[in-house]
Amino acid sequence: MLETSARLLRLLSLLQAHREWSGADLAERLGVTPRTVRRDIERLRELGYPVHSAPGTAGGYQLGAGAELPPLLLDDEEAVAVAVGLRTAAAGGVAGIEETSVRALAKLEQVLPARLRHRVSALNAFTVPLVSGAGPRVDAAVLTELAAACRDSRQLRFAYAAHDGTVSRRTVEPHRLVSAQRRWYLVAWDTGREDWRTFRADRITPTPPHGPRVAPRTPPAEDLAAYVSEGVSTAVYPVSATVLLHVPLAEAAQRVPPTVGTLEEAGADRCLLRTGAQTLEALVVLLAMTGFEFEVREPDGLKDRIREISRRLSRASA
């Protein structure tokens, strides 16, 4: 039985390695008869692998695409290449797949043999990426650890550096990772504060051993992306504003990332921007830099500050 299972894995690896094999070639590689190859092909089909065959001397066996993704067999070099590629994607090298790459990397590193994990870590440690665009860098190993804790519903302990540099120890029940504009955020239930919190992943330093498994809690919002966007762009600041932008939402989104504010459609060519800043002056600068026509809905103090700064700029230009 063990010999048959090992042969099936070897056969599957051969089928995944090349586009098409003849029955004779497979029999020679496996050291069996063509009849045994045919039986093993049938076993793979029963397991859900779509193995296509063509009769005749020019025919052969080919692994096709099925309705579901079957398990893949990777040799050492292929596993290292996939892990390195996922780390690169998780770091923001390819837009739109960062979060998916972290989930896949967490699954892959869970099953990598120690020798391969060491090779991947060494390659990552001694490689300097040239990535365009500003933004905090997050260690892929930290992201993988956070993603694994979310997946396993396991309490997580870490040191967290606040904006002013002070460090606190946190124990949380992690829920999800959210990525936005090369920034990563962990949404988790803070057991010490007894409330939901959003943490910048680049400010997290895991401090294992972590806690036990816990029952998943009801998340703070159905749309976690919007929840995080509001938290990091508005709720965290002492001054907030609601502004009507005279442009379609899609156009506004090109200049207003989720880390700056949340956008809501308000008509065919209008959208509402909710944002925040440390001061009213900073809000004036933020709105001016969008380059859009806008109307201030609230607060009234922002309108007064815009008039004041406008008069000051007029005197300076004169």
Side-chain angles (χ1 to χ4, degrees):
M1 182 65 181
L2 290 177
E3 180 182 351
T4 301
S5 299
R7 191 175 66 247
L8 283 178
L9 289 175
R10 175 59 178 161
L11 173 59
L12 181 58
S13 179
L14 291 173
L15 290 172
Q16 290 177 343
H18 292 290
R19 187 67 178 172
E20 189 171 355
W21 288 90
S22 68
D25 287 340
L26 288 175
E28 181 180 356
R29 287 293 191 102
L30 297 172
V32 296
T33 64
R35 182 180 179 182
T36 300
V37 170
R38 290 193 294 271
R39 287 202 304 265
D40 288 346
I41 290 293
E42 288 303 318
R43 290 192 180 97
L44 288 179
R45 288 169 176 165
E46 292 173 359
L47 292 173
Y49 292 93
V51 183
H52 304 310
S53 59
T57 56
Y61 297 101
Q62 182 179 18
L63 187 63
E68 297 180 355
L69 178 66
L72 297 176
L73 292 179
L74 302 175
D75 61 29
D76 286 4
E77 300 302 325
E78 292 168 342
V80 170
V82 171
V84 172
L86 288 173
R87 282 178 177 267
T88 302
V94 181
I97 64 170
E98 298 95 334
E99 187 172 352
T100 307
S101 300
V102 169
R103 293 201 307 269
L105 183 59
K107 294 177 181 178
L108 179 61
E109 291 197 343
Q110 184 181 16
V111 297
L112 278 180
R115 67 180 189 279
L116 297 186
R117 283 200 300 269
H118 293 157
R119 289 178 59 184
V120 173
S121 298
L123 184 58
N124 185 64
F126 292 95
T127 301
V128 180
L130 180 60
V131 181
S132 60
R137 298 298 305 278
V138 185
D139 188 347
V142 173
L143 285 179
T144 302
E145 189 167 354
L146 298 182
C150 292
R151 178 198 64 207
D152 298 336
S153 297
R154 185 178 298 279
Q155 273 194 353
L156 186 69
R157 298 186 178 100
F158 56 83
Y160 190 69
H163 182 71
D164 59 4
T166 58
V167 178
S168 60
R169 300 286 177 176
R170 303 294 185 95
T171 299
V172 305
E173 298 174 8
H175 180 66
R176 288 291 187 275
L177 280 170
V178 178
S179 62
Q181 298 293 316
R182 292 180 56 81
R183 292 182 186 269
W184 287 86
Y185 300 92
L186 173 67
V187 178
W189 175 267
D190 191 318
T191 60
R193 278 70 174 176
E194 294 188 345
D195 198 4
W196 288 97
R197 291 289 189 270
T198 300
F199 302 94
R200 281 260 300 268
D202 58 292
R203 296 177 180 171
I204 290 177
T205 302
T207 55
H210 300 303
R213 291 178 181 270
V214 293
R217 294 179 181 269
T218 302
E222 291 186 7
D223 189 345
L224 283 180
Y227 171 81
V228 170
S229 178
E230 181 181 1
V232 302
S233 66
T234 307
V236 72
Y237 292 109
V239 180
S240 60
T242 302
V243 178
L244 180 67
L245 300 180
H246 292 197
V247 290
L249 187 147
E251 183 176 349
Q254 295 178 5
R255 298 192 188 180
V256 182
T259 52
V260 171
T262 60
L263 295 167
E264 177 184 334
E265 191 168 339
D269 298 315
R270 300 286 190 274
C271 63
L272 282 177
L273 166 64
R274 292 182 174 87
T275 185
Q278 291 292 338
T279 63
L280 288 174
E281 289 80 2
L283 278 176
V284 175
V285 174
L286 184 153
L287 294 171
M289 290 181 64
T290 64
F292 301 137
E293 296 290 330
F294 62 89
E295 300 174 21
V296 175
R297 293 290 179 86
E298 58 180 23
D300 291 335
L302 179 57
K303 300 178 183 179
D304 297 335
R305 199 53 53 91
I306 290 175
R307 297 188 189 98
E308 178 185 337
I309 293 176
S310 178
R311 289 192 294 268
R312 191 187 311 162
L313 293 175
S314 295
R315 290 194 298 270
S317 63

